[in-house]
Amino acid sequence: MTIATSRRGFLGATSGLMIALALPLKGRAQDALPQGAEQAAPPAPAPVPPNAFVHIAPDDTVTVIVKHIEFGQGPLTGLATLVAEELDADWAQVRGALAHADDTLYANLAFGMQGTGGSTALGNSFLQMRGAGAAMRQMLVETAAEAWGVPAVEITVAKGRITHPSGKESGFGAFAEAAAQRPVPDNPTLKTPDQWVLIGTDLPKLDTASKTDGTAMFTLDQYPEDVQAVVIERPTSFGATVASYDDAEAAKVAGVRAIRPLPQGVAVYADNTFAALKARKALKVEWDLSAAETRTSQQIMAEASAAAREAGRTVEETGDLSGFDAPGATVIEAEYQFPYLAHAPMETLDGVITLAEGSAEASYGCQFPGIDRAAIAKTLGLPMESVRVNVLLAGGSFGRRAQGTAHFATELAEVAKAGGPGSYKLMWTREDDIRGGYYRPLSVHRMRGAIDAEGRITAWENVIANQSIMAGTAMEAMMKDGLDSSSYEGSIGLPYDFGGFRAAWRQLKTGVPVLWWRSVGSTHTAMATEMFVDELLEAAGKDPVQGRLDLLKPDTTRERAVIEAVRDLAGWTGKVQGDKGYGMAFAKSFGTYVAQIVELENRDGRPQVTRAWCAVDCGIPVNPNIIRAQMEGGIGFGLGAILHSQITLGENGAVQESNYDDYPSLRIHEMPRVEVTIIKSDADPTGVGEPGVPPIGPAVANAWRALTGQKTRALPMLQNPGVV
């Protein structure tokens, strides 16, 4: 544990106390991105050199340096809450700031490198940030005790004030500099849950006001002196390269400074974005398709369907599958098809980079800062210490900025390398974003289930065919025996007792770049699993809720609790009530347990979800306000995807969708009323940024089948009704 005194400080303050410490992480450190199979817990982090996790300024302001990017999921507030709790700060004096790229100082303890994903932000920092606050509080108290000549045990701290029964009182800032000279306690005493004041309360988010009044700074707000706007003309087929180009007309556009070929395409450098876009439109580029992916998505889906009908590599098997061949058994089969999906966050990819002689500084919303920093250094031929990456707020991500290939950071560096010393602002348009690849993989699930004469499910098999996200990236080292657990997570480790069980994976290889999408594998595995469970229960004549409860294995207390809680919250009375259909689904992802029930109506052949109920167990609920918001947001995000979204590849593999008009998001009139209940728990906290997504799709499909008899076999539902 180390501290450092700073005259300007991390944030430019004039003086203050900055502290950092490394404490062992207790709990689910093995839940990384992707969720994957169980992995060995990482070793306790080694001591780090002086840095700033927490800064106290002379005006008593407490700024918490957060190592996870903030793009709406709440770590800026959640991690600041942990520090403020143990420090006994007043919430009004707390601020948050994002840490720059540094794997040594700011590693995600679940990953071993700096990064945000897998809903790990709160879990991996829970003890670390509490320890920082507790250590600082102890040092301030000891400093005040010496200054006042009183025993430290007589001093109390509450709401940002240090007080003594004698009447002496002070804020934090007055003692910050002197406290920095003290030894840092190795094992600061943490509060017990009954002493918590802030943890577990609905604190307002630290970034809401600035995002509301426009003072929040995003990449779009960054304008270094004499910055050049840059856009790139990219191929319409993935893997195509530039054969030749004609820039004669493009170069005539006022404001254009240069047009340069890059490995990614042809870049236009201009005084402003308008000029860059106008010139890009005037470019004439001939593409070499010899190494390109030219198949249509229909052809790739057919290949996936054929692959899913083969045995595949077994990823989990328990019991035996003799139930399929038992006398009197009813065997049900189903194939579920899931399309490519774009992330489509409100802020497209963008970044600013300044290249000087022997150094570079990049600023943008960066989800894996360490990987990106290394990619920039390699591309520019600079040592790591000469490259700085500033992590900015991002307008959404849903996994789009978590790039094992660091493709955007590499492209940003290529822009600077080709341009020479100066500042550059690289912009992806909405069309670039939708057509630029890095999609959720296209997937097919081939399911078989057996029901005996007594209505018991006695055998289950699921063969999944899709493309690996991790293969060929910096994350490939996380694969075990060539298996990418993110491809099938959510289909294994199920809480249900199916008798015989087998899950298998077939790896597809395509030229379409794929990436983690919000809730990763669970976005399709939970849907296939929970739709098929529902169909089997229906065939057995059982209620969807009670049937699931009866299927649960022993010791599945948390699963049972959320299913029962959502049942009670919704007042479940059956699958159909009048003109309304009801469906439910359960999913555990990233260590968090979520059950949902939906109510919907049939409006001219379209499902209209009117209400959704959600029960969530994410361990200790640090900020219920954020938990509810993330469940609500996850429901809206997932609902929009299953109703509307798909990426289709046409002739020569060209993406057909381009913007929100043909890749729509959920509209406000489609958003149901949502009620969320949070299970009280003393378990280690887990994430909430992703787990709200997986159950909504199957819950809707199950309700729609209950109401109309239509079985969902392909998505999106509004384009693939799948009447069976």
Side-chain angles (χ1 to χ4, degrees):
M1 188 183 308
T2 54
I3 58 173
T5 305
S6 171
R7 290 298 174 187
R8 287 190 54 78
F10 189 87
L11 301 173
T14 55
S15 65
L17 170 63
M18 297 188 290
I19 187 171
L21 72 167
L23 295 174
L25 175 66
K26 167 181 131 178
R28 297 175 179 83
Q30 70 273 15
D31 287 335
L33 180 120
Q35 179 187 341
E38 292 296 307
Q39 302 174 23
V48 297
N51 69 294
F53 271 143
V54 187
H55 180 93
I56 296 180
D59 65 357
D60 296 337
T61 299
V62 177
T63 300
V64 179
I65 311 305
V66 174
K67 63 185 181 181
H68 298 281
I69 186 176
E70 174 64 79
F71 40 64
Q73 80 282 27
L76 208 63
T77 300
L79 301 191
T81 300
L82 303 178
V83 171
E85 178 67 74
E86 298 293 346
L87 182 58
D88 278 314
D90 186 88
W91 189 244
Q93 73 187 110
V94 177
R95 308 289 184 269
L98 299 179
H100 64 280
D102 192 315
D103 281 342
T104 301
L105 302 182
Y106 298 119
N108 182 320
L109 303 181
F111 297 170
M113 65 178 184
Q114 189 177 358
T116 304
S119 294
T120 59
L122 185 64
N124 92 93
S125 301
F126 187 62
L127 293 181
Q128 187 180 50
M129 302 308 282
R130 288 177 62 202
M136 182 174 290
R137 182 187 187 280
Q138 181 176 334
M139 295 161 68
L140 289 169
V141 166
E142 292 172 350
T143 302
E146 285 188 3
W148 292 343
V150 299
V153 294
E154 295 179 359
I155 291 177
T156 58
V157 183
K159 293 186 176 181
R161 304 297 295 176
I162 305 170
T163 60
H164 185 263
S166 64
K168 292 182 172 63
E169 182 177 350
S170 175
F172 294 157
F175 295 116
E177 187 135 9
Q181 311 306 316
R182 306 188 67 83
V184 181
D186 289 325
N187 295 293
T189 301
L190 302 181
K191 291 182 179 181
T192 55
D194 61 294
Q195 297 173 316
W196 290 341
V197 176
L198 299 178
I199 294 176
T201 62
D202 285 336
L203 297 173
K205 293 178 70 174
L206 294 177
D207 51 334
T208 297
S210 62
K211 288 179 177 177
T212 302
D213 63 23
T215 57
M217 299 297 288
F218 294 82
T219 306
L220 284 172
D221 303 306
Q222 309 301 309
Y223 288 96
E225 184 177 357
D226 197 34
V227 64
Q228 297 181 48
V230 181
V231 296
I232 298 174
E233 178 72 359
R234 300 178 180 84
T236 56
S237 301
F238 297 116
T241 57
V242 176
S244 64
Y245 69 95
D246 180 353
D247 63 1
E249 293 301 315
K252 295 177 184 178
V253 175
V256 171
R257 298 196 189 185
I259 298 173
R260 300 183 174 97
L262 299 180
Q264 295 78 11
V266 181
V268 178
Y269 298 69
D271 292 334
N272 53 67
T273 306
F274 177 78
L277 290 172
K278 186 176 180 180
R280 183 175 73 167
K281 190 174 182 180
L283 280 172
K284 297 178 182 179
V285 183
E286 294 292 331
W287 300 101
D288 179 356
L289 302 182
S290 59
E293 174 60 81
T294 57
R295 290 176 294 174
T296 66
S297 51
Q298 186 177 12
Q299 290 172 318
I300 297 173
M301 184 67 77
E303 179 184 323
S305 177
R309 293 172 183 269
E310 299 179 11
R313 288 190 62 184
T314 299
V315 293
E316 183 180 318
E317 187 168 9
T318 58
D320 64 70
L321 301 179
S322 60
F324 286 123
D325 302 314
T330 299
V331 177
I332 297 175
E333 298 186 1
E335 180 175 297
Y336 302 111
Q337 298 182 351
F338 299 88
Y340 289 114
L341 290 181
H343 302 78
M346 292 303 293
E347 181 186 9
T348 60
L349 293 178
D350 51 358
V352 173
I353 188 168
T354 298
L355 179 64
E357 291 296 334
S359 68
E361 181 172 6
S363 302
Y364 59 103
C366 179
Q367 204 165 336
F368 282 175
I371 292 178
D372 282 10
R373 184 186 181 202
I376 291 172
K378 180 179 180 181
T379 302
L380 296 175
L382 295 172
M384 282 278 283
E385 58 269 21
S386 297
V387 175
R388 180 181 176 91
V389 175
N390 302 312
V391 180
L392 305 182
L393 295 171
S397 173
F398 314 120
R400 183 62 184 94
R401 294 174 181 270
Q403 302 161 9
T405 60
H407 81 87
F408 179 76
T410 300
E411 186 174 273
L412 186 63
E414 291 283 4
V415 165
K417 182 179 179 180
S423 295
Y424 307 93
K425 190 170 189 174
L426 173 63
M427 297 293 302
W428 282 47
T429 64
R430 177 63 56 197
E431 289 76 14
D432 292 337
D433 179 72
I434 297 295
R435 291 177 171 168
Y438 298 91
Y439 305 128
R440 181 192 74 170
L442 174 152
S443 299
V444 170
H445 287 246
R446 184 69 183 174
M447 319 284 290
R448 286 199 306 154
I451 304 171
D452 68 12
E454 284 72 42
R456 295 172 300 192
I457 301 174
T458 57
W460 173 284
E461 185 177 47
N462 181 9
V463 180
I464 305 159
N466 58 23
Q467 186 176 345
S468 168
I469 295 172
M470 295 194 289
T473 77
M475 296 293 184
E476 190 166 10
M478 296 176 64
M479 296 175 64
K480 294 182 178 180
D481 300 324
L483 294 172
D484 182 348
S485 57
S486 70
S487 296
Y488 51 81
E489 62 183 6
S491 67
I492 61 176
L494 299 180
Y496 306 124
D497 184 355
F498 294 130
F501 176 91
R502 178 177 182 268
W505 179 51
R506 284 296 312 277
Q507 182 180 355
L508 301 180
K509 294 185 179 181
T510 80
V512 180
V514 293
L515 192 60
W516 299 286
W517 191 86
R518 189 176 183 181
S519 74
V520 199
S522 291
T523 182
H524 56 88
T525 57
M527 187 156 189
T529 296
E530 287 294 298
M531 285 193 296
F532 198 54
V533 165
D534 220 66
E535 291 189 34
L536 294 179
L537 290 174
E538 182 180 62
K542 297 184 178 180
D543 177 81
V545 176
Q546 189 57 48
R548 283 174 172 79
L549 291 171
D550 293 341
L551 276 175
L552 290 177
K553 299 173 183 176
D555 302 322
T556 53
T557 55
R558 298 178 75 178
E559 291 91 340
R560 184 174 299 277
V562 293
I563 293 174
E564 291 178 341
V566 79
R567 174 198 64 190
D568 297 342
L569 183 67
W572 176 271
T573 56
K575 297 186 293 184
V576 179
Q577 302 296 322
D579 62 350
K580 301 181 188 300
Y582 296 84
M584 78 90 55
F586 162 83
K588 177 189 175 185
S589 59
F590 307 101
T592 293
Y593 304 76
V594 181
Q596 295 173 3
I597 291 175
V598 302
E599 171 192 271
L600 57 73
E601 300 173 356
N602 183 352
R603 296 187 182 175
D604 299 323
R606 297 165 60 95
Q608 176 66 51
V609 183
T610 52
R611 299 188 69 179
W613 296 269
C614 175
V616 53
D617 177 355
C618 56
I620 296 168
V622 173
N623 189 322
N625 179 48
I626 292 177
I627 296 170
R628 287 191 293 268
Q630 287 300 300
M631 291 300 109
E632 292 163 358
I635 287 170
F637 183 86
L639 180 57
I642 65 112
L643 290 178
H644 298 293
S645 301
Q646 67 176 340
I647 290 292
T648 52
L649 278 59
E651 184 179 358
N652 288 328
V655 177
Q656 304 303 292
E657 292 75 23
S658 63
N659 210 313
Y660 287 133
D661 59 336
D662 51 16
Y663 191 85
S665 294
L666 193 74
R667 295 296 188 93
I668 190 65
H669 70 274
E670 297 174 302
M671 184 68 190
R673 174 185 170 189
V674 179
E675 295 182 51
V676 179
T677 185
I678 302 169
I679 304 296
K680 293 182 179 179
S681 175
D682 59 1
D684 295 336
T686 49
V688 293
E690 299 174 275
V693 175
I696 187 63
V700 171
N702 292 338
W704 187 244
R705 191 190 75 255
L707 185 63
T708 68
Q710 296 180 11
K711 298 177 181 179
T712 300
R713 290 292 187 263
L715 294 179
M717 290 181 69
L718 295 184
Q719 296 185 45
N720 296 279
V723 181
V724 177

